[in-house]
Amino acid sequence: MTVYLYVIKWNIHPDKMDAYLNWVNGVIPRTLGVPGVVEFRGYRGLLGASQIVATYEFASLLDWSAWFTHEDNQKALSELYGVTLNAVGELWGPSPTVPAPIRPGK
């Protein structure tokens, strides 16, 4: 199965921690309510510049495009920029040299 990954990285605005916590608790169900998402994951940075990384997995570029451009999702992304710093999104697709997972010992 081909997987497309939308990766969003950001830092929490130090002066907006309460607003951020209120926002993040409600935004995840809202973005997952938009059709097309196969899986969502959230990570905290242990090394590097970003404090938070969120990933959304999609089965096709059409699914990602419909999700990304959906009014509810665009509103959520707009709100993200109000409570964070250095927010950036990246769309990742399969590698032509490693198109499927490689597991140790296989």
Side-chain angles (χ1 to χ4, degrees):
M1 176 175 131
T2 301
V3 172
Y4 295 89
L5 199 62
Y6 185 62
V7 179
I8 310 171
K9 301 182 279 188
W10 65 84
N11 295 306
I12 302 168
H13 193 296
D15 298 334
K16 299 182 179 182
M17 181 60 78
D18 290 340
Y20 172 81
L21 292 173
N22 288 333
W23 172 79
V24 80
N25 288 328
V27 78
I28 295 169
R30 285 176 32 216
T31 59
L32 294 179
V34 176
V37 178
V38 173
E39 181 177 279
F40 169 84
R41 291 181 185 234
Y43 300 91
R44 278 284 187 146
L46 300 177
L47 294 173
S50 297
Q51 290 177 317
I52 306 293
V53 172
T55 63
Y56 292 86
E57 186 176 299
F58 300 88
S60 72
L61 287 175
L62 288 175
D63 289 344
W64 171 80
S65 180
W67 174 84
F68 185 79
T69 60
H70 193 280
E71 180 181 347
D72 292 343
N73 194 56
Q74 285 296 304
K75 183 176 185 214
L77 289 172
S78 179
E79 294 165 356
L80 169 74
Y81 300 123
V83 294
T84 66
L85 300 170
N86 308 316
V88 63
E90 302 170 341
L91 182 61
W92 292 75
S95 166
T97 56
V98 185
I102 300 172
R103 294 189 172 80
K106 304 278 178 177

